[in-house]
Amino acid sequence: MYIQNDNTATRSLKCSWMDEPVSFTEDGTGRCPRDIGERLVDEFDSIHVHPTKRESSSTE
């Protein structure tokens, strides 16, 4: 899934429960597996489901 980080200074984020870090572009866009993205959205106020980018259902 695509996520959006309002803190655009963050280029990478890895929590203790993650196998791999999530990388973010200059505009704060990141892509990760749905379960990781949903947990990041729940745990961080600055991270949201990306407002315009969506994955096709076959790749989520």
Side-chain angles (χ1 to χ4, degrees):
M1 81 182 283
Y2 285 96
I3 54 178
Q4 180 78 38
N5 189 347
D6 293 339
N7 181 356
T8 56
T10 300
R11 293 289 174 250
S12 180
L13 177 65
K14 182 169 185 316
C15 299
S16 60
W17 47 266
M18 297 167 64
D19 292 332
E20 300 288 329
V22 174
S23 297
F24 296 96
T25 61
E26 289 181 5
D27 70 355
T29 300
R31 185 176 181 204
C32 58
R34 178 167 293 284
D35 59 331
I36 300 293
E38 289 174 349
R39 187 163 176 185
L40 289 172
V41 167
D42 286 343
E43 292 190 11
F44 291 89
D45 292 337
S46 65
I47 298 178
H48 314 279
V49 174
H50 197 283
T52 58
K53 290 191 176 203
R54 300 280 185 259
E55 303 241 17
S56 66
S57 59
S58 63
T59 59
E60 289 185 36

